[in-house]
Amino acid sequence: MRKDQLLTVDHLNELLLICSLVLLIAVAAVRVSSRSGLPSLLIYLGIGIAIGQDGPGGVVFDNAGLTQILGYAALVVILAEGGLGTKWKEIKPALPRAAALSTVGVAVSVGVTAAGAHYLAGLDWRQALLIGAVVSSTDAAAVFSVLRNVPLPARLTGILEAESGFNDAPVVILVVAFSAVGRVGPWYVLLGTIALELLIGAAIGLAIGWLGAYAMRHVALPASGLYPIAVMAIAVSAYAAGALAHGSGFLAVYLAAVILGNAKLPHAPATRGFAEGLGWIGQIGMFVLLGLLVTPHNLLDDIVPALLIGMILTIVARPMSVFVALLPWRMPWQEKTLLSWAGLRGAVPIVLATIPMVTHVPGSERVFNIVFVLVVIYTFVQGPTLPWLARRLRLGDGEEAADLGIESAPLERLRGHLLSTTIGPTSRMHGVEVGELRMPAGAAVTLVVRDGTSFVPAPTTVLRRGDELLVVATDPVRDTAERRLQAVSQGGKLAGWLGIHGSPGRRHGSR
């Protein structure tokens, strides 16, 4: 369709057909990537390249500004989804380390990578600093995707999740500063700007997250499908408010989503499922658009510089940033080695590489091409080898009892809650009698659904894997009832004797 043509119903039909086919192919690609270990983002980029001007699709697309805007929007959704699935008890001990990696670590990585790009790859200092800043951000979508398939200890998972959620904020500020017209201000002014924007973003994110969680817990909406929409709207509003206040919107949306995801909201599993679906759409659309933007025949001259800079980043800059940032903490070298290799890049660096293109920085197209090639090649290397490295370093957690997903619906007029949960394949609730659950006074298992048949259980009814339980709990004991179900799921009927008390919520299922 030419630019002077109006969008008609026929054009809309064609567009919907193309988009639906791309989504179906992308969904099938997830199946392929899960079996082969190949990160799905590479397949999405391949779809975009195939649609583009050098592929069978032949679509010419060179709008870096539109790509940047849509990439930002997708990143907001991905960060919100990641925050909603992040368990506070896992990232709380990791916050100081993640903050150090997101600030001190980023500074070290930018400096080392930029020096290598300047002295070894021959780029001028502005291009070298831009590349150093752009590739110093670990990608939330890539990290969440890999962590889903690698059973790492909770302390390492918390560090990687929090770092990927935090480090976008300072990196975006650096890239915007290096892309500005004219000379970059003094380093201390730049550091002060970063600190101020992070502080504003954190304050707004925490405030909106707390207020949103309070409102969602005390307002009974007329339909369960409205809860996920409201939660995502609150998270996105945190980004917008933070950005409009000249703070870090990315940090604001992540922190707000973390608070909402750990606030025991009504219909929490459904909300996480809805957010995960939006995250998939954002990820697929962002990667396909980035693949469409790139021109493959223009990448040939930049393959060698990309390989060289990628080696500097992967072998020197990232390990140095990890070891320097984590000096105040005593950690085994195996854990620091894994954290060094787990600094995965994805769409975020490619999106950030569009910022100098939009501001017409000299050599910005070369910066974009180098970043694109670097991300593709080193994602091929790092993603599939991370599980192997975790096993070699003996850092895998192995199979353990999964947390229990508990669905909660408020019964406003009865001042109570209806809890719904399913006994999973690794739950130690299997074989436990209903009476042995020892639910608190004010809570009771009222219905069991087994093999499509529902019945009212007796105290001696033995629970089995796959059973769905419906529990009615009064408002004062709702949290206690959830914790008791979690404890029995993790420790069996002797959970209390073993000191297992449980906590509401469950681990996210992000990409």
Side-chain angles (χ1 to χ4, degrees):
M1 185 174 68
R2 298 194 310 269
K3 292 182 179 180
D4 57 345
Q5 285 184 308
L6 296 176
L7 181 65
T8 65
V9 174
D10 290 336
H11 295 144
L12 176 63
N13 295 337
E14 295 175 2
L15 183 62
L16 290 176
L17 177 61
I18 294 173
C19 292
S20 60
L21 290 176
V22 168
L23 283 176
L24 289 174
I25 294 172
V27 170
V30 177
R31 179 75 172 177
V32 174
S33 67
S34 63
R35 289 189 172 185
S36 63
L38 185 70
S40 56
L41 66 90
L42 298 179
I43 301 178
Y44 303 153
L45 286 173
I47 294 173
I49 292 174
I51 298 174
Q53 58 181 331
D54 283 0
V59 176
V60 178
F61 178 79
D62 58 359
N63 193 332
L66 178 61
T67 303
Q68 178 188 335
I69 293 171
L70 296 179
Y72 270 42
L75 182 56
V76 170
V77 174
I78 291 171
L79 285 172
E81 188 264 330
L84 288 172
T86 297
K87 295 174 67 175
W88 173 247
K89 67 178 181 180
E90 288 188 1
I91 70 165
K92 182 180 178 180
L95 286 180
R97 296 173 176 85
L101 287 171
S102 302
T103 51
V104 177
V106 164
V108 172
S109 180
V110 171
V112 174
T113 305
H118 176 71
Y119 291 111
L120 299 180
L123 300 179
D124 64 49
W125 271 115
R126 190 174 194 184
Q127 294 176 355
L129 286 169
L130 278 170
I131 289 180
V134 164
V135 300
S136 293
S137 173
T138 56
D139 183 74
V143 170
F144 294 151
S145 174
V146 172
L147 291 182
R148 185 183 184 182
N149 301 311
V150 184
L152 295 178
R155 60 184 177 277
L156 295 183
T157 300
I159 292 173
L160 290 170
E161 287 185 357
E163 181 198 8
S164 66
F166 291 164
N167 64 9
D168 289 337
V171 168
V172 169
I173 298 170
L174 286 175
V175 175
V176 171
F178 294 149
S179 302
V181 178
R183 297 184 60 184
V184 179
W187 64 269
Y188 54 85
V189 175
L190 186 59
L191 288 180
T193 302
I194 293 175
L196 179 61
E197 292 196 16
L198 293 179
L199 182 62
I200 294 174
I204 291 177
L206 293 173
I208 291 181
W210 186 86
L211 291 173
Y214 180 84
M216 295 300 296
R217 283 177 60 87
H218 290 81
V219 175
L221 298 178
S224 60
L226 295 176
Y227 285 90
I229 297 174
V231 169
M232 287 300 296
I234 293 169
V236 174
S237 69
Y239 167 81
L244 290 173
H246 301 288
S248 173
F250 293 118
L251 182 59
V253 65
Y254 182 73
L255 291 178
V258 169
I259 292 177
L260 290 166
N262 288 271
K264 301 182 290 293
L265 300 180
H267 304 288
T271 299
R272 283 192 293 268
F274 177 76
E276 186 178 355
L278 290 181
W280 277 111
I281 293 177
Q283 184 182 174
I284 292 170
M286 181 167 56
F287 285 126
V288 171
L289 192 61
L290 291 171
L292 190 61
L293 179 66
V294 74
T295 306
H297 69 261
N298 292 337
L299 302 177
L300 299 178
D301 294 337
D302 298 313
I303 292 179
V304 174
L307 287 171
L308 184 59
I309 296 172
M311 289 181 61
I312 297 168
L313 172 67
T314 305
I315 300 176
V316 182
R318 172 66 182 183
M320 188 178 295
S321 68
V322 170
F323 279 81
V324 171
L326 298 181
L327 273 178
W329 296 274
R330 298 183 62 181
M331 295 180 63
W333 67 268
Q334 295 93 335
E335 295 186 358
K336 292 183 179 180
T337 300
L338 188 68
L339 291 174
S340 300
W341 193 249
L344 303 177
R345 274 75 192 172
V348 173
I350 305 176
V351 171
L352 296 181
T354 63
I355 295 177
M357 295 178 67
V358 173
T359 55
H360 306 290
V361 174
S364 58
E365 291 187 4
R366 189 184 185 199
V367 170
F368 179 86
N369 291 340
I370 290 175
V371 171
F372 187 92
V373 174
L374 185 156
V375 168
V376 170
I377 292 177
Y378 285 92
T379 301
F380 261 115
V381 175
Q382 289 178 277
T385 58
L386 187 58
W388 172 85
L389 181 62
R391 290 192 298 270
R392 294 288 294 179
L393 296 174
R394 298 183 179 180
L395 292 175
D397 254 356
E399 186 174 331
E400 59 181 19
D403 282 347
L404 203 62
I406 300 177
E407 177 86 19
S408 172
L411 305 174
E412 187 177 34
R413 294 183 61 186
L414 302 180
R415 300 182 61 81
H417 295 267
L418 179 64
L419 310 179
S420 171
T421 185
T422 301
I423 301 176
T426 61
S427 174
R428 293 187 173 91
M429 199 181 291
H430 173 77
V432 176
E433 295 182 2
V434 170
E436 293 174 330
L437 292 176
R438 298 199 303 276
M439 300 297 291
V445 179
T446 58
L447 198 69
V448 174
V449 181
R450 178 180 297 167
D451 298 328
T453 302
S454 58
F455 59 92
V456 177
T460 56
T461 299
V462 179
L463 300 175
R464 300 177 184 174
R465 295 185 180 93
D467 285 355
E468 183 178 355
L469 311 183
L470 297 182
V471 180
V472 174
T474 58
D475 193 64
V477 302
R478 173 258 178 97
D479 292 346
T480 305
E482 277 200 49
R483 283 194 292 269
R484 180 57 190 166
L485 291 172
Q486 288 282 357
V488 177
S489 179
Q490 295 170 12
K493 66 180 72 175
L494 299 179
W497 290 96
L498 297 175
I500 300 174
H501 303 290
S503 61
R506 65 170 182 150
R507 187 169 180 159
H508 66 79
S510 304
R511 288 156 306 287

